[in-house]
Structures are given as structure tokens and as C-alpha cells.
């Protein structure tokens, strides 16, 4: 199930009194912070806090906080303990002896009841340990569980799910498919992070886990049901040919010449033809060699007359393995006076060439060669590429959206 990653204003789902689990006569219920909505233990769920921690009585403003209300005890419950578990059942956090005070019982429940202060579920330990609200905070995991005990007996439990928002109606959470590729500086060389493959993967996994805790507040499971796909890879071979380069000018007439897997490829250009027309002709010539070739149009750069079109060359199975394109040493790549042709080479030894304002829409040729090489063609997958550095020291990362 897909949904916008943008979290909207939260509104609690209304439900009747929860069918709380009970041992002997003791019961526990979860009351949403609106003071009216009882969270059903079987059909409802709790959610991670997305509000800044506040002190009581301002805690009433925390939309996802819940009070735990106890009934069926002859006196104030003792040895109360609230535990959070990870999705695999491992203990994550515990809150022992939370402050209890007299509270109105749920409808249809008679006798005396006691309640905790509004309980906050936090995605990480830093938020959980904030001194002003430490006594009513508990670290929790999206997809995990909250269990409530008194005198060593489990009284009830709730799952931790997505925010209580109309955007998540009927959904427990949304999972992403994350593909992380850690680039080596050169083929067979050192990875961009870590001392070796194992440490590089370990560091990347730690970063994914940190990001997952942040996105969990919005009901987004970054790691997905099977965890992130993390690999250390070589820079891709030259398998992208850009027709039009950055200028995107129409052809004046001439010839494109290159070698693909050692075989000569010659393509004519005719006056007035757009880059896409010539790129399509080049793709047909590559396919005639028994290879795969796909056209990949780009947005126009600010300074370009038109948009360049990239030709992505793959082997017959659609993979990069065994593919190589290069200039013919005896001929220019293009003899056309206006239609340039460029080879997408990824050389990370001097850092990745990154876009500036003029080419922010299409990205640089090197960026396109890198990103399109590892694009799996699945729009539901998010690709994360970790490079050693950028060619200018001021930049630490980039995000590509839309069609770039």
C-alpha cells in the first residue's frame, strides 16, 4: 500500500472501550490524550510521539500520548511496569512504577480507577531521556508492542503503528524498499566508508537504522520487512552515451563514432534533427550488436537549448556485466558541428562531479552515469548511493527527485 510520505495533522481514530486483557479482576485501558477516545486493544494501536516534549499540564497538547487507566483493584495498583518490545519480541525499554492518581473509570466500568500521566512513546533514547518528561516516556519501535503489567501479571498490550491520521486509515504502517550501494573508489578498491567491506556495510546499516527511527514517527518503516539491501560495489563501466550533452542543440549533420565491446558503431546525424532522434538511431545500432539499449531523456539544463537524451547500454540480459563503450581512437565522437556526444564515465578518484544551479534539473553527466547504472527500474524502491566524496569540498550529499 502506498501513501504520501508527508505526515498530515494527526486525528485520533474513534473507537469504543477496548477489550483489554485481564488477569483476575485487574484490567488496563488506554485513553487517548483527547480524554474521550479509548484505544481498542485488538483493533487499535498506539503511535510514536511527533510533538516536542512538554511538562504537565501542557502535556495535554501531545496528540499521540495515552493514559493507562487501571480498574478492578482493591487499592492503587502496585508493581506497575510498562514494557516495550521490538517486532521480534526482544525487550527494548521499560518504565517501572509510573506515577498513578485517581481517574474516572471507562464507561460501563464501576469502582475506583487510577491512571498514569500521559505516556509518550519515543523513537530514540535521546528523546526518551529528556529530563523534563523522563518519568512518562518510553522508547518504542514501529511494529513493536507495548505491554502493561501489575504485580508481575500482564494486564494488556497494544501494537505500535502509524500516526492516527486519515492518511493512514486502515494501514498499520508503510514499508519502503531501500537499496544502499557503497561505491568503491575504483574497481576492487577501498569502499567509500569503513576500512573494509564488512565495516562499510555495518556503518551503512547503522545509518539506515538511525533514519528508520526518525521516519517511524510518520509511520514509515525505512528498513522494510526484510531489511535494507546493502552492498559494496565497483564504479560502473562506461555504459551511458549522452546525445546532446549539456547544450541539447539540434544536429547540423555529421557522424557519431564509438566502439561498444570493441566493435565499431557508426551513426549519421542530419540537419535539424533533435538529440532524441539521433539517440534513437544510435540505440538501434547498439541493439543490432545483440545488446540492449534504452533511451533515457533528461530535463533541460538552464543553459541548454534543449534536453539531452542518454542511451543506456546493457548486455542482452539487461545487465551491465561485460558492457563497455569507448571512443574510437581514430575518429571524433561526433563530427556534427552542433550535436555533441559525451561518454558517461564515473571516476571517483577526484570526487563525484556534482550539479550546480545551471544543471540541477538533469544532474551532471557523471551523476547521471552513476545513478542510472544502479537504478533498478522499480519506482517503489529508493536507491541510496554512498560515494567517497564530491569534487568540491562544500557538499556532503544530494537528493534527486522527479525525472532527474
Amino acid at each position: 500500500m502506498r501513501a504520501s510520505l508527508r505526515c498530515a495533522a494527526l486525528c485520533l481514530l474513534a473507537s469504543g472501550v477496548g477489550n483489554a486483557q485481564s488477569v483476575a479482576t485487574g484490567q488496563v485501558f488506554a485513553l487517548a490524550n483527547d480524554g474521550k477516545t479509548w484505544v481498542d486493544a485488538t483493533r487499535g494501536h498506539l503511535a510514536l510521539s511527533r510533538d516536542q516534549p512538554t511538562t504537565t499540564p501542557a502535556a495535554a497538547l501531545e496528540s499521540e500520548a495515552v493514559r493507562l487507566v487501571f480498574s478492578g483493584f482493591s487499592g492503587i495498583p502496585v508493581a506497575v511496569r510498562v514494557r516495550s518490545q521490538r517486532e521480534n519480541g526482544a525487550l527494548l525499554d521499560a518504565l517501572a512504577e509510573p506515577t498513578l492518581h485517581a481517574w474516572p473509570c471507562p464507561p460501563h466500568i464501576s469502582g475506583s480507577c487510577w491512571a498514569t500521566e500521559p505516556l509518550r512513546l519515543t523513537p530514540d533514547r535521546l528523546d526518551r531521556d529528556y529530563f523534563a518528561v523522563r518519568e512518562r516516556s518510553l522508547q518504542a519501535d514501529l511494529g513493536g508492542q507495548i505491554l502493561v503489567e501489575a504485580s508481575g501479571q500482564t494486564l494488556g498490550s497494544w501494537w505500535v503503528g502509524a500516526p492516527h491520521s486519515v492518511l493512514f486509515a486502515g494501514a498499520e504502517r508503510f514499508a519502503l524498499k531501500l537499496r544502499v550501494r557503497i561505491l568503491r573508489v575504483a574497481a576492487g578498491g577501498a569502499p567509500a566508508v569503513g576500512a573494509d567491506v564488512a565495516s562499510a556495510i555495518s556503518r551503512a546499516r547503522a545509518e539506515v537504522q538511525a533514519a528508520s527511527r526518525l521516519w517511524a514517527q510518520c509511520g514509515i518503516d525505512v528498513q522494510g520487512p526484510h531489511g535494507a539491501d546493502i552492498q559494496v560495489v565497483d564504479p560502473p563501466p562506461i555504459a551511458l552515451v549522452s546525445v546532446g550533452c549539456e547544450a541539447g542543440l539540434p544536429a547540423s549533420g555529421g557522424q557519431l563514432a564509438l566502439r561498444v565491446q570493441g566493435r565499431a558503431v557508426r551513426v549519421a546525424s542530419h540537419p535539424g534533427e533533435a538529440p532524441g532522434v539521433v539517440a534513437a538511431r544510435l540505440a538501434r545500432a547498439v541493439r543490432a550488436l545483440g545488446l540492449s539499449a534504452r533511451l533515457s531523456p533528461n530535463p533541460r539544463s538552464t543553459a541548454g537549448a534543449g534536453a539531452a537524451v542518454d542511451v543506456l547500454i546493457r548486455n542482452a540480459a539487461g545487465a551491465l556485466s561485460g558492457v563497455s563503450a569507448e571512443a574510437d581512437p581514430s575518429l571524433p565522437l561526433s563530427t556534427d558541428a552542433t550535436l555533441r556526444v559525451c561518454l558517461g564515465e564515473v571516476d571517483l578518484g577526484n570526487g563525484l562531479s556534482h550539479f550546480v544551479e545551471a544543471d540541477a534539473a538533469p544532474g551532471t553527466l557523471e551523476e547521471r552515469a552513476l545513478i542510472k547504472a544502479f537504478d533498478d527500474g522499480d519506482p517503489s524502491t529508493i536507491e541510496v548511493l554512498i560515494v567517497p566524496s564530491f569534487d568540491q569540498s562544500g557538499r556532503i550529499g544530494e537528493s534527486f527527485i522527479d525525472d532527474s
Side-chain angles (χ1 to χ4, degrees), residues 89-104:
L91 177 66
L92 175 59
D93 195 9
L95 183 64
E97 300 290 353
T99 302
L100 300 177
H101 51 85
W103 192 264

Side-chain angles (χ1 to χ4, degrees), residues 100-127:
L100 300 177
H101 51 85
W103 192 264
C105 290
H108 313 301
I109 297 294
S110 60
S112 300
C113 290
W114 293 265
T116 64
E117 296 294 336
L119 180 65
R120 303 172 61 249
L121 302 183
T122 72
D124 58 30
R125 195 71 192 183
L126 181 64
D127 193 355

Side-chain angles (χ1 to χ4, degrees), residues 14-42:
S15 66
V17 176
N19 298 321
Q21 298 172 343
S22 64
V23 175
T25 59
Q27 292 182 287
V28 63
F29 303 88
L31 177 62
N33 214 17
D34 62 359
K36 300 178 293 185
T37 305
W38 297 90
V39 184
D40 194 304
T42 56

